C-alpha cells in the first residue's frame, strides 16, 4: 500500500529484541524503512541491536533517540554500523553524543526528530546547532535525509 512510508517499532514496550528473527522477517516482508526506539540502558533496544537489524535488512533503519543515554557516548565506538542505519536526534541527553555521531558519519546519516509531544523540537534543533553546520548540512539533517528515506518529493 503506497500510503505507508515506514513503520515504527518500540522493542521495550513489546519486550522483543530489535534484531529478533520475527522483527527481521517482518521488516523484510513489508520492505519499508523502519524507525526503532533505541536506549542503551534498556534490555531490548541498544544501538548494537539496531545495527544488527540493519545488517540483516535492505531498508533504512532509523535509530530513534540514537541510543539516548550517557552510556551511548562510551559504547558508540564499539559498534560497527552498516550504511543503512541513520541516527535521529530526539531524546539524546547530551550534545557531545550527537557530536560524536556527526564526527563519525557526517550530516548524511543524521535525521532531525523531536519526539513531540514528549520532546520539544527546540531542544533537538538547539543540539543540532552545536554542530556548527554549513547551510547544506543543516538542510540534510532537517529535511533532505528524511525526504530521501521516505521517497517524498
Amino acid at each position: 500500500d503506497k500510503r505507508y512510508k515506514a513503520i515504527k517499532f518500540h522493542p521495550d514496550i513489546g519486550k522483543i529484541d530489535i534484531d529478533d528473527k520475527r522483527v527481521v522477517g517482518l521488516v523484510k516482508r513489508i520492505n519499508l524503512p523502519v524507525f526503532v526506539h533505541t536506549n542503551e540502558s534498556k534490555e531490548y533496544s541498544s544501538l548494537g541491536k539496531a545495527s544488527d537489524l540493519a545488517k540483516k535488512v535492505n531498508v533504512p533503519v532509523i535509530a530513534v533517540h540514537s541510543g539516548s543515554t550517557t552510556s551511548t557516548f562510551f559504547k558508540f565506538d564499539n559498534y560497527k554500523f552498516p550504511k543503512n542505519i541513520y541516527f535521529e536526534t530526539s531524546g539524546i541527553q547530551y550534545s557531545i553524543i550527537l557530536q560524536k555521531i556527526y564526527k563519525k558519519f557526517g550530516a548524511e546519516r543524521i535525521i532531525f526528530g523531536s519526539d513531540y509531544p514528549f520532546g520539544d523540537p527546540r531542544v533537538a534543533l538547539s543540539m543540532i546547532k552545536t554542530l556548527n553546520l554549513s547551510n547544506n548540512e543543516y538542510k540534510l539533517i532537517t529535511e533532505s535525509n528524511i525526504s530521501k528515506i521516505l521517497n517524498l518529493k
Side-chain angles (χ1 to χ4, degrees):
D1 189 327
K2 296 197 184 283
R3 293 177 297 168
Y4 302 105
K5 300 289 186 183
I7 62 167
K8 166 84 187 284
F9 183 66
H10 201 305
D12 298 316
I13 291 173
K15 296 188 186 301
I16 183 170
D17 289 325
I18 294 171
D19 61 343
D20 183 278
K21 66 181 180 180
R22 295 169 289 178
V23 176
V24 172
L26 174 67
V27 172
K28 285 181 175 181
R29 191 166 59 254
I30 63 170
N31 200 38
L32 289 172
V34 59
F35 289 77
V36 293
H37 173 88
T38 61
N39 186 326
E40 285 301 308
S41 66
K42 301 288 184 172
E43 178 180 353
Y44 303 101
S45 58
S46 72
L47 281 175
K49 290 181 185 291
S51 178
D52 289 343
L53 171 64
K55 290 172 187 171
K56 297 172 183 174
V57 299
N58 292 318
V59 297
V61 173
I62 298 90
V64 177
H65 311 312
S66 297
S68 184
T69 65
T70 305
S71 62
T72 303
F73 180 81
F74 299 103
K75 294 180 179 180
F76 191 80
D77 291 329
N78 296 331
Y79 299 131
K80 294 192 184 335
F81 296 105
K83 294 182 187 259
N84 62 326
I85 196 162
Y86 294 81
F87 302 91
E88 185 265 351
T89 62
S90 72
I92 298 174
Q93 286 184 342
Y94 302 104
S95 62
I96 195 168
I97 296 169
L98 184 58
Q99 290 166 11
K100 189 171 213 174
I101 294 167
Y102 174 73
K103 284 178 186 170
K104 186 164 186 161
F105 295 108
E108 294 78 11
R109 303 268 290 280
I110 301 172
I111 296 170
F112 164 70
S114 67
D115 204 23
Y116 185 82
F118 304 104
D120 185 329
R122 294 171 295 186
V123 172
L125 288 169
S126 293
M127 195 172 292
I128 290 168
K129 288 182 180 180
T130 69
L131 300 175
N132 297 315
L133 303 168
S134 69
N135 290 339
N136 183 53
E137 289 176 312
Y138 186 81
K139 186 175 179 179
L140 280 170
I141 291 173
T142 59
E143 180 183 339
S144 303
N145 290 339
I146 193 64
S147 293
K148 181 179 174 185
I149 288 169
L150 300 178
N151 292 314
L152 303 175
K153 304 280 178 191

